[in-house]
Amino acid sequence: MAEATAAPRTLPQILRRGAIALVALLMVTGILLLGRTVRTELKELATTGSDNIEWSLSQAEVEAIAFSQEALIAARAPSVPLDLVRLRFDLLYSRVVVLQQGPVFAAMRTDPQVAEHLTKVQSFLDETATLVDGPDAQLRAALPRLSSGSDAVRSDLRDIALQGIAHFSQTSDTQREEVARTLRELALLTLGLVVLLGVTVLALMRLNTVNHRVAETEHATRARLEAILTTALDAVIVTDERGALRGGNPAAERMFGYPRAILLTRTLTDLMAPGALPDGLAPLSGCGLIESEARHSNGTMFPIELSVSNATGRNGTPICVAFVRNIAERAAADAALRRSRDTALAGEQSKAELLAVMSHEMRTPLNGLLGTLDLMRREGLNDRMQRYAGIMERSGQLLLRHVEDVLGIAQAEAGQMAIVAEPLDLNALIAELVEAQAGQAAERGNQLNAGDAVPALARVWGDPLRLRQVLLNLIGNALKFTENGSGTVEAEALDDLPLVELRVIDTGIGITEANLARIFEDFVTLDASYRRNNSGTGLGLGIARRMVRAMGGEIGVESEPGEGSLFWIRLPLAPPTDAGSAPHGLRVLLVEDNQINRFVARGMLERDGHTVTEAIDGAEGLAAAERERFDLIVMDVSMPHLDGVSATRNIRSGSGPSAATPILGLTAHAQPAEVARFRAAGMTEVLHKPVLQGELTRMIARALGTTATAPGAAAASLPTAEETLPLIDPQISGELRDAIGAQSHAQLRDALVGEAKRFFSQPHEDVGHDAHRLAGSAAVLGARALHRHLQSVELAAADPATLPRSLELAAACWKDTLPLLLPEHADRH
């Protein structure tokens, strides 16, 4: 397309330019006249001010003279009234007050001589004021003295006037100079404005020419834009502020299924899914890409992506322009991709869970095999058989170690690596490990030593099982790559025990810098020389890193080839906090469907001095929370009708007086992901059953934010998968007896026995629910093995294939537990 050419000048353009020139001339004339007027007024103002000041200064002396004369006349003629004397004194006094307080004389008063004269004058006035305000006789007697005194004051006032006149003359000269300078600056500014105005006029003339050319260019651009919009694949629609369509391209006609004539009769509401967008597009302007749903003329819905901007129509009215794209194909592809991702994640989770289960199941026969081999070696085998048995035992131990490594990784990947925190002596743990591994160290000519004991580490709070596994991995790794050297295990308390650093140091072959970055990756056994000289799967350090991170710490290594390595661990092992700072006298709402659990929890709460209101299920608890305000809500998670999670969510979303009250959740079994779900619903803290008095007190304090709880304390009662559970836990049973008394403990025990007999002898309408209730009662009394089996029954209730076996195992466990609860049943057993 040819470039646009300049159009000839027209009469309107000439008139417009003439008007601009005339305005410029008027502006210059106005500035000149204004400058002249301002100069004249400033001069007159300065003169007038100076005259007034000089008159005020001289008038004070005049009043002093008048007062002196009037006093002298009154003194010589006793019959003359004193009113005129007092009037003259008041006039003199007022004149002096003006000199002392008037803002125009403020600068003059800073002169030391003027200040001295004013002080003398003020002293005379203060003395005279007393006489003037007194009796006539006293004033008449003092008139000669006042007349002579006023003569001295007149001298001071004359000096003040002379110095003031000199001061104000100098000030006036300075002001005149400033006014002259200001006027010069005004003239320069005016000249600059004139020049600027001239340049502006020239620029406007030039701009006018350019605008004419731009208009022609815009006309051509508009034609090209219309061609682009006509052929565009995306729909473009134009609406007014109310959402009525004012335009659309052919793509919009195809996308929404309306001919242009009909399309322009529609509104935005007709084109979009109900409630998908506001009535107008204006609120969406500048929001970027927006995904929504549109409606075809045949009624079908399809996903769209649109971008909105504001514009102005031909008549100046505001309009909205929306660019719309049909993303049905992309949405389908995204959905398919998400399904594929979810399938892959589910497969990875299933694989991890399968590995965890299989590794755990493989350990059982391996332990049996190793135990049998140990028994065989004690039966007097000959030397050859002893050697064979030794080889088999070492191979079995190696296989067991590999299985445990795979189990550790599988548990971590499946989110099942439970951390059980409890008080422990870290010094004793290190000494025990060093003593146990001393034999393995000696096989390669090494010495294994423990660092100096640290008194602060004699009682810390951590998971001894996981700490032992981590340190064993690091010690074994150190001894594996060290020969005829030494290894050291030491610990140090950092920052008064928020952190503890453990170090395993060896004098072995070291690690190259290139391998330091990947030493903690799974299946990494470094270079080939390592694989030839040392066996292993390369999983130990990877498992150690997972366990350390699960305990809230970090692990690292420092090494030099040929000099040895230092593996370090930093863990939060702060000692447990004493719960004696826990609050008392709280109003507590206890929501628990199990009568035994409710009785026990109430006893523990009342023992701490709290007032308890009971609710037997979530619905009743919700009603109580919406009716009155409580300081704390203790909420069971699993309940009929309305569970604790739903009740918590309803309390938080409502406007009742307990909507913001801390909620302590109680659960018999929950993995970390479940605990996160409980917290997301609004629970402040989560405590695992069975509930112990001390743990309940600490968790209440933590929920109310009055004291800290050691890391992992909330999970202290949650056993690991491989833990062998006792039939009766003496700690739980003993704490319960101390909390509620021996008589109440016996009543609860009898209630559990009766409930269990009914469970194992009668048919069930809902075996899962019944198992859950009995599991809660068993947990309270410390029947931990029975509690675990009843949990298995609850989970198996949905699977008829596994339910009979779970019930059989639970019944057998109950048969073994009953004699411990009721010793009189021991003989029958």
Side-chain angles (χ1 to χ4, degrees):
M1 178 179 291
E3 292 290 329
T5 58
R9 296 179 182 178
T10 61
L11 180 60
Q13 290 177 332
I14 296 174
L15 293 176
R16 187 164 54 249
R17 293 180 182 180
I20 293 175
L22 179 60
V23 171
L25 179 60
L26 292 175
M27 289 179 63
V28 171
T29 304
I31 291 175
L32 293 176
L33 293 176
L34 180 61
R36 183 176 179 180
T37 303
V38 169
R39 182 175 183 180
T40 302
E41 291 181 352
L42 288 176
K43 183 176 181 180
E44 292 177 355
L45 180 61
T47 303
T48 301
S50 176
D51 292 344
N52 290 336
I53 292 171
E54 292 175 359
W55 182 86
S56 298
L57 290 172
S58 62
Q59 192 65 27
E61 183 182 359
V62 171
E63 296 297 339
I65 294 172
F67 174 71
S68 176
Q69 292 176 349
E70 197 65 41
L72 184 60
I73 292 171
R76 292 176 179 176
S79 61
V80 174
L82 298 179
D83 293 343
L84 192 57
V85 174
R86 289 188 171 94
L87 175 61
R88 287 298 179 185
F89 176 78
D90 290 340
L91 292 174
L92 173 61
Y93 195 94
S94 65
R95 297 297 181 187
V96 174
V97 168
V98 171
L99 296 178
Q100 289 178 332
Q101 300 179 4
V104 72
F105 301 106
M108 183 188 74
R109 291 194 294 268
T110 59
D111 187 289
Q113 294 181 359
V114 173
E116 182 180 356
H117 288 311
L118 285 174
T119 301
K120 292 179 180 179
V121 172
Q122 185 63 45
S123 298
F124 172 76
L125 294 177
D126 292 341
E127 180 182 356
T128 305
T130 303
L131 297 172
V132 169
D133 295 335
D136 289 352
Q138 186 178 1
L139 174 60
R140 192 175 293 277
L143 286 177
R145 179 167 52 86
L146 294 179
S147 177
S148 61
S150 63
D151 291 337
V153 167
R154 182 180 63 185
S155 177
D156 289 326
L157 291 174
R158 182 184 302 113
D159 291 340
I160 292 173
L162 293 175
Q163 292 176 9
I165 291 171
H167 170 78
F168 284 108
S169 296
Q170 182 180 1
T171 302
S172 297
D173 292 340
T174 303
Q175 290 177 344
R176 289 188 181 92
E177 292 177 0
E178 292 178 353
V179 169
R181 185 175 66 253
T182 302
L183 292 175
R184 288 194 297 270
E185 293 174 353
L186 179 61
L188 292 175
L189 177 60
T190 303
L191 180 61
L193 289 175
V194 171
V195 174
L196 178 61
L197 182 60
V199 173
T200 303
V201 170
L202 294 176
L204 289 174
M205 295 173 64
R206 174 62 180 170
L207 182 61
N208 183 57
T209 302
V210 172
N211 286 341
H212 180 70
R213 294 176 180 174
V214 168
E216 294 180 346
T217 304
E218 287 181 350
H219 178 73
T221 302
R222 187 180 299 110
R224 290 195 295 268
L225 181 59
E226 289 178 355
I228 292 173
L229 293 178
T230 301
T231 58
L233 298 178
D234 291 341
V236 180
I237 57 175
V238 181
T239 73
D240 61 15
E241 289 183 309
R242 297 185 300 273
L245 265 67
R246 291 292 177 260
N249 65 344
E253 301 173 25
R254 295 190 298 270
M255 180 178 294
F256 296 103
Y258 293 105
R260 180 176 180 81
I262 299 179
L263 181 66
L264 296 183
T265 64
R266 302 299 179 184
T267 65
L268 185 64
T269 305
D270 299 328
L271 303 183
M272 298 297 166
L277 292 176
D279 293 338
L281 292 173
L284 304 178
S285 177
C287 295
L289 292 177
I290 302 167
E291 291 189 3
S292 184
E293 268 196 318
R295 177 166 49 195
H296 194 269
S297 61
N298 60 14
T300 60
M301 301 293 179
F302 57 94
I304 61 170
E305 184 179 74
L306 73 157
S307 176
V308 182
S309 62
N310 290 332
T312 304
R314 293 181 180 178
N315 55 358
T317 59
I319 60 173
C320 295
V321 181
F323 296 82
V324 187
R325 174 172 298 174
N326 188 332
I327 59 172
E329 294 183 0
R330 191 180 76 186
D334 290 345
L337 184 61
R338 284 193 296 270
R339 287 194 297 270
S340 299
R341 180 202 61 189
D342 294 342
T343 301
L345 290 176
E348 288 295 322
Q349 181 72 12
S350 299
K351 181 184 72 174
E353 292 176 355
L354 176 63
L355 283 175
V357 172
M358 292 305 298
S359 300
H360 185 270
E361 294 300 324
M362 291 171 64
R363 290 199 319 162
T364 302
L366 277 174
N367 283 325
L369 177 62
L370 292 174
T372 304
L373 284 172
D374 182 65
L375 292 175
M376 288 176 57
R377 297 182 65 182
R378 298 168 186 255
E379 293 297 327
L381 300 177
N382 57 39
D383 292 343
R384 185 174 64 176
M385 292 300 177
Q386 283 282 3
R387 186 168 65 253
Y388 292 162
I391 295 172
M392 294 172 63
E393 184 176 12
R394 285 192 295 273
S395 299
Q397 291 286 358
L398 180 60
L399 179 58
L400 180 60
R401 180 68 177 271
H402 294 339
V403 169
E404 288 178 342
D405 288 346
V406 174
L407 175 61
I409 291 180
Q411 286 181 329
E413 296 297 334
Q416 298 175 354
M417 184 177 287
I419 301 300
V420 183
E422 61 183 59
L424 62 93
D425 185 340
L426 189 58
N427 297 320
L429 177 63
I430 293 174
E432 172 194 336
L433 292 175
V434 168
E435 181 180 359
Q437 298 299 308
Q440 180 182 350
E443 291 180 1
R444 299 178 65 90
N446 298 317
Q447 288 186 346
L448 185 61
N449 306 306
D452 295 336
V454 180
L457 302 182
R459 180 176 171 80
V460 294
W461 191 264
D463 187 328
L465 175 63
R466 300 303 182 189
L467 278 174
R468 183 177 284 105
Q469 288 178 278
V470 171
L471 290 175
L472 278 175
N473 271 325
L474 295 183
I475 293 172
N477 187 75
L479 297 178
K480 185 187 301 184
F481 297 105
T482 304
E483 190 170 359
N484 298 323
S486 64
T488 304
V489 184
E490 59 186 26
E492 177 185 0
L494 305 178
D495 301 330
D496 296 329
L497 267 190
L499 286 177
V500 173
E501 181 171 286
L502 297 101
R503 295 180 287 270
V504 178
I505 309 168
D506 66 68
T507 60
I509 61 176
I511 307 170
T512 63
E513 184 176 356
N515 288 323
L516 284 176
R518 62 190 191 97
I519 190 68
F520 293 104
E521 297 177 5
D522 294 334
F523 303 106
V524 171
T525 55
L526 301 185
D527 55 29
S529 63
Y530 277 57
R531 289 196 295 270
R532 285 197 304 267
N533 297 326
N534 302 281
S535 61
T537 61
L539 294 175
L541 294 180
I543 294 173
R545 180 179 62 175
R546 286 179 172 86
M547 290 183 177
V548 169
R549 288 180 175 176
M551 290 185 285
E554 57 179 340
I555 186 172
V557 60
E558 301 170 10
S559 184
E560 287 291 336
E563 297 184 7
S565 303
L566 183 152
F567 285 83
W568 55 265
I569 306 168
R570 296 188 185 99
L571 288 172
L573 300 177
T577 303
D578 184 8
S581 61
H584 295 271
L586 301 177
R587 297 181 69 252
V588 181
L589 173 62
L590 173 61
V591 187
E592 168 66 70
D593 66 313
N594 187 293
Q595 182 180 2
I596 294 178
N597 290 356
R598 201 163 57 245
F599 177 82
V600 172
R602 183 188 187 106
M604 292 182 176
L605 290 168
E606 291 180 341
R607 186 181 185 189
D608 278 347
H610 306 312
T611 302
V612 181
T613 300
E614 293 185 4
I616 62 173
D617 56 32
E620 187 174 317
L622 174 60
E626 292 180 340
R627 185 174 57 251
E628 56 183 305
R629 182 187 178 279
F630 295 94
D631 301 315
L632 176 71
I633 299 175
V634 180
M635 178 78 70
D636 186 27
V637 170
S638 298
M639 291 183 291
H641 308 305
L642 184 68
D643 61 50
V645 177
S646 300
T648 298
R649 190 177 291 113
N650 290 335
I651 290 173
R652 293 294 188 229
S653 62
S655 58
S658 295
T661 296
I663 299 179
L664 175 60
L666 300 179
T667 179
H669 53 86
Q671 296 299 325
E674 286 290 289
V675 173
R677 183 171 67 88
F678 301 158
R679 291 183 183 275
M683 290 186 177
T684 311
E685 295 293 341
V686 179
L687 180 62
H688 292 89
K689 298 178 182 178
V691 179
L692 303 179
Q693 178 75 59
E695 191 59 40
L696 176 63
T697 304
R698 282 192 294 272
M699 289 302 291
I700 291 176
R702 180 173 175 178
L704 296 175
T706 58
T707 186
T709 303
S717 61
L718 183 65
T720 59
E722 58 270 7
E723 181 180 353
T724 301
L725 298 176
L727 293 175
I728 297 295
D729 190 316
Q731 180 185 2
I732 297 175
S733 180
E735 286 199 13
L736 178 62
R737 185 180 290 105
D738 294 339
I740 65 175
Q743 182 177 359
S744 296
H745 183 272
Q747 292 175 351
L748 290 181
R749 179 196 62 196
D750 295 340
L752 171 64
V753 171
E755 186 178 352
K757 287 181 177 179
R758 288 191 297 274
F759 178 84
F760 289 110
S761 62
Q762 298 177 0
H764 304 276
E765 294 183 3
D766 187 349
V767 65
H769 176 259
D770 295 343
H772 171 76
R773 292 176 59 88
L774 182 58
S777 302
V780 168
L781 286 162
R784 300 187 66 187
L786 179 61
H787 171 244
R788 172 58 61 83
H789 281 293
L790 290 169
Q791 286 182 334
S792 299
V793 172
E794 181 183 358
L795 295 174
D799 185 2
T802 60
L803 180 59
R805 177 58 177 168
S806 298
L807 283 170
E808 180 183 350
L809 294 174
C813 180
W814 167 244
K815 185 177 180 180
D816 294 335
T817 304
L818 180 60
L820 300 179
L821 289 172
L822 299 175
E824 60 268 22
H825 285 256
D827 296 336
R828 303 176 194 174
H829 177 65

